[in-house]
Amino acid sequence: MCGIVGHVRPLAPVISSAATPEAEGRTLSVLLDGLGRLEYRGYDSAGVALVGPSGMQVAKAAGKLENLRAAIAAEPPAPATAGIGHTRWATHGGPTTENAHPHRAGNIAVVHNGIIENFRALRAEVEEAGRPLLSDTDTEIAAHILDMDFTARLAEATAADPSADPARVLVESMRAVTERLEGAFALLAVTPLAPEAIVAARRSSPLVIGLGDGENFLGSDVAAFVAFTSRAAEVDDDQILLLRPDSVTVWDKDGVVVEPKTWEVTWDASAAVKGGYETFMDKEIHDQPAAVADTLRGRVDERGEIQLDEMRIDPAVLRSVDKIIVIACGTAAYAGHVAKYAIEHWCRVPVEIELAHEFRYRDAVVSEKTLTVAISQSGETMDTIQAIRHAREQGSRVLAIVNTYGSTIAREADAVLYTHAGPEVAVASTKAFLAQITACYLLGLYLAQLRGHKWPDEVADYLAKLGEMPDKVQWILDEQESAVRALGAELADRSSFLFLGRHVGFPVALEGALKLKELAYVHAEGFAAGELKHGPIALVEEGLPVFVIVPTPRRPTLHDKVLSNIQEIRARGARTIVVAEEGDDAVDAFADHIIRIPATPTLMAPLLTVVPLQIFAAALAGAKGLDIDQPRNLAKSVTVE
């Protein structure tokens, strides 16, 4: 989510009488080009900050990049030697010009990707200092904290040495301030007091250096600058950077100068926006560890209690809820199925899963003691919008789980939990699904905490286990992807597939079948494994590929029953493809192919077991030569009922 670009070049060409218009406009041109190449990330506002001999200028606008271009054309800035640009995906505060980046505070302008978790405490400090705040963002708070520190340090440094370098002072301020920040950030700062410098820092948010000839670049990925240089350098967590036109200096968290690892970008500009992957879906599958981590980040307050993004429901009302109805469509509905298992287990409240397009036509039983949970990636799904309106008419409170700030569902809901997955470009959902499941777990734990069904240490333990999920998803990508892709290519000529699962494996089987239908246009069905002998086993024939989601052996009753299902279908000639935990040797005798996942608690297993099914569907579709990102007949956001 969000995009960052930075550029710095020498002062001399700007003040030289021989300077050309192209040279004078180089920094602005680089920033706008980079922001254009980052549009694929999704955004709702954009802006730039420029510094040079004429001081600092900031231009920003809500909406698309053409709005920013129009604002700049109406009031052209003076030539610049350094600049930073940003496309924003709203998190703190709506998609307005005031909330757009860069944010200026005194002699500092900053852009920021990520979430600053302790911004409320820092905000109080800024307000106490008497500084006016012009936005609702956490980033503006960081800008003020940085400027306050920089102003004090610079005064002290110049008193001791009038020739003190403001850029080096800003480096020390950036180090001091980022040590105080909690959360994730890629933070870039410029000041007119050092017009040939950009100072930056990174923690758990992507940032990469572009190494040019007499100029240097920064970007949230190489797409931001690949049109200008193919030489790039890594930035590690908690490193501080100082970019000048002819040098890049990097300090580690201990203040020691380090040499960043460099590499040559081999992708062209069009491929770079996909991060080097062949398709956006491939990229988004690999984004999933970050999507889960970002959805979890910043959810616990200083008392150790889970917080939602927007809560307009009285806690007493949530304590009195006697039924939860989840309304959603497609993949989002399967996330709701996973939520049912978790919420009922943790909260002891019955949960019903309703397809949004059926909900308001079947006279569902809804009252003021019902909590309706709406799940939508876009927040604009028309079926779901109509369903939540119907639920509210019946007196229900509505809690939304969406990925888009300020969307219709978010605006009309009584409470909102945002999935910080960033935008999905591929039509078929992958990372949004994992983020939705993660958000559902957070909701379940929030309600269990609020209603007193779980002790604080129990909630903390569940959150700690959730915190391990990004690394486990990454393990699957690292260790299993190549084998799963090979299997997809091998089975590309098959026209029918079955998917079986029990407990939380059942909605995973449904989602696995849906992905194959969406991407490969083949018949695929997901079943609860116990239903097999009640009819679907008639479909099993020689060579039929059947995916089986095997529960952890730590749930022996469930595990043994699924093993029996595998034996039943294999005895009838099926080709069994088993998704099972590491160390589960009991499946070896019954599986033609085994896809391993790390051991994990039962309720959290869907975050892992669905990943190989996504990879398989994409690989099979690719082997058939199909358009993976834009399957036929499908739309990303269904805005008609």
Side-chain angles (χ1 to χ4, degrees):
M1 67 182 73
C2 306
I4 277 179
V5 59
H7 177 252
V8 59
R9 70 186 189 89
L11 179 62
V14 173
I15 61 175
S16 167
S17 59
T20 65
E22 291 77 11
E24 290 187 344
R26 172 70 169 178
T27 293
L28 178 59
S29 175
V30 168
L31 296 183
L32 292 177
D33 183 272
L35 293 179
R37 295 180 187 278
L38 295 173
E39 283 191 289
Y40 78 93
R41 299 170 73 92
Y43 66 102
D44 46 50
S45 60
V48 296
L50 301 162
V51 294
S54 300
M56 179 157 65
Q57 301 158 88
V58 174
K60 51 189 185 177
K64 291 301 182 183
L65 195 55
E66 56 260 31
N67 296 345
L68 175 63
R69 293 182 186 275
I72 290 171
E75 196 171 336
T81 49
I84 52 178
H86 191 266
T87 51
R88 177 176 185 256
W89 177 271
T91 54
H92 293 82
T96 65
T97 299
E98 292 77 15
N99 289 332
H101 298 209
H103 287 284
R104 181 172 184 171
N107 279 314
I108 296 290
V110 303
V111 295
H112 161 234
N113 281 357
I115 298 172
I116 298 172
E117 297 174 7
N118 61 333
F119 84 98
R120 292 179 183 87
L122 297 174
R123 183 186 182 100
E125 185 178 327
V126 172
E127 290 173 336
E128 186 177 340
R131 290 193 163 215
L133 294 172
L134 306 178
S135 76
D136 302 316
T137 68
D138 54 344
T139 304
E140 187 186 6
I141 304 301
H144 279 285
I145 293 291
L146 183 60
D147 182 63
M148 290 160 62
D149 188 279
F150 175 64
T151 299
R153 285 178 189 271
L154 186 61
E156 182 179 342
T158 53
D161 178 5
S163 64
D165 181 2
R168 291 301 300 268
V169 174
L170 185 53
V171 167
E172 294 309 311
S173 289
M174 182 69 82
R175 176 177 293 109
V177 168
T178 53
E179 285 177 354
R180 300 181 59 197
L181 300 183
E182 297 174 8
F185 52 80
L187 197 63
L188 276 60
V190 291
T191 175
L193 304 180
E196 287 186 274
I198 301 174
V199 175
R202 172 189 183 268
R203 181 187 301 156
S204 302
S205 187
L207 188 64
V208 62
I209 302 165
L211 301 170
D213 184 10
E215 60 183 348
N216 286 306
F217 309 82
L218 283 168
S220 44
D221 63 46
V222 297
F225 54 72
V226 73
F228 306 104
T229 182
S230 61
R231 291 187 296 142
E234 293 181 356
V235 182
D236 289 334
D237 269 1
D238 293 307
Q239 289 185 336
I240 308 294
L241 321 177
L242 172 57
L243 263 73
R244 300 187 193 269
D246 56 357
S247 67
V248 175
T249 309
V250 181
W251 292 266
D252 67 13
K253 59 184 177 61
D254 298 318
V256 177
V257 174
V258 295
E259 195 68 30
K261 180 181 178 182
T262 62
W263 80 95
E264 195 76 15
V265 180
T266 57
W267 321 317
D268 62 20
S270 61
V273 299
K274 299 174 184 175
Y277 297 100
E278 291 188 6
T279 66
F280 280 110
M281 173 159 280
D282 287 342
K283 177 186 181 298
E284 288 157 10
I285 287 172
H286 286 81
D287 283 346
Q288 291 183 124
V292 174
D294 288 344
T295 300
L296 290 170
R297 187 171 285 116
R299 299 299 184 181
V300 180
D301 66 14
E302 60 276 3
R303 296 170 298 177
E305 296 181 353
I306 297 173
Q307 301 293 303
L308 304 188
D309 294 287
E310 299 175 13
M311 173 52 69
R312 298 178 288 273
I313 306 176
D314 191 296
V317 172
L318 293 176
R319 292 189 187 99
S320 69
V321 163
D322 60 11
K323 180 172 66 174
I324 296 172
I325 299 178
V326 178
I327 53 175
C329 304
T331 288
Y334 300 148
H337 276 272
V338 175
K340 174 181 174 69
Y341 290 97
I343 293 174
E344 288 186 342
H345 178 73
W346 290 333
C347 303
R348 310 312 299 162
V349 179
V351 179
E352 298 176 5
I353 312 302
E354 295 277 359
L355 293 172
H357 41 78
E358 291 291 324
F359 173 70
R360 71 189 182 113
Y361 300 110
R362 74 166 193 83
D363 195 21
V365 180
V366 181
S367 74
E368 67 279 357
K369 289 193 173 183
T370 303
L371 176 65
T372 300
V373 177
I375 306 177
S376 168
Q377 186 276 141
S378 67
E380 302 293 348
T381 309
M382 185 54 66
D383 303 295
T384 308
I385 291 170
Q386 297 295 346
I388 66 171
R389 290 171 178 169
H390 178 69
R392 297 194 73 180
E393 288 171 0
Q394 310 307 308
S396 173
R397 300 298 203 283
V398 174
L399 186 149
I401 295 176
V402 297
N403 195 42
T404 308
Y405 194 97
S407 58
T408 300
I409 291 175
R411 293 195 309 270
E412 296 193 10
D414 300 295
V416 185
L417 179 53
Y418 287 108
T419 55
H420 296 302
E424 271 191 331
V425 178
V427 170
S429 182
T430 52
K431 67 175 180 176
F433 180 59
L434 260 66
Q436 287 167 349
I437 293 174
T438 303
C440 287
Y441 292 147
L442 287 169
L443 173 60
L445 292 172
Y446 173 83
L447 293 173
Q449 165 190 283
L450 184 68
R451 296 163 67 93
H453 289 282
K454 293 294 177 186
W455 294 103
D457 59 337
E458 293 178 292
V459 173
D461 183 60
Y462 282 118
L463 289 172
K465 289 182 169 61
L466 275 173
E468 297 171 0
M469 292 299 110
D471 286 343
K472 293 184 178 183
V473 174
Q474 188 62 54
W475 185 92
I476 295 170
L477 296 172
D478 293 341
E479 301 296 331
Q480 301 294 307
E481 181 177 15
S482 59
V484 174
R485 287 192 174 279
L487 183 62
E490 181 184 340
L491 298 178
D493 62 337
R494 302 305 173 96
S495 59
S496 186
F497 295 80
L498 297 186
F499 293 77
L500 303 178
R502 282 184 183 264
H503 195 254
V504 290
F506 172 38
V508 171
L510 294 172
E511 173 63 9
L514 178 60
K515 279 293 151 289
L516 210 49
K517 295 173 192 173
E518 289 178 315
L519 300 182
Y521 318 149
V522 298
H523 170 259
E525 295 293 336
F527 295 103
E531 281 291 290
L532 191 66
K533 61 178 67 68
H534 296 283
I537 199 168
L539 295 171
V540 178
E541 60 187 9
E542 189 71 30
L544 175 71
V546 181
F547 283 81
V548 186
I549 314 302
V550 179
T552 175
R554 295 184 302 282
R555 295 287 298 272
T557 302
L558 275 176
H559 182 266
D560 292 349
K561 288 187 178 299
V562 173
L563 286 187
S564 297
N565 293 137
I566 299 173
Q567 293 176 64
E568 290 171 347
I569 57 176
R570 201 176 191 206
R572 289 159 176 81
R575 186 170 180 173
T576 54
I577 304 163
V578 172
V579 180
E581 279 191 1
E582 283 189 293
D584 183 2
D585 299 332
V587 302
D588 293 0
F590 311 113
D592 294 303
H593 305 273
I594 301 177
I595 302 168
R596 295 293 183 184
I597 64 165
T600 201
T602 299
L603 287 172
M604 299 177 191
L607 290 173
L608 306 183
T609 53
V610 75
V611 176
L613 308 188
Q614 297 168 340
I615 297 169
F616 178 82
L620 192 144
K624 295 178 70 170
L626 301 176
D627 188 334
I628 296 170
D629 288 335
Q630 295 183 317
R632 68 188 183 196
N633 305 331
L634 297 180
K636 186 62 180 171
S637 180
V638 181
T639 55
V640 294
E641 189 182 13

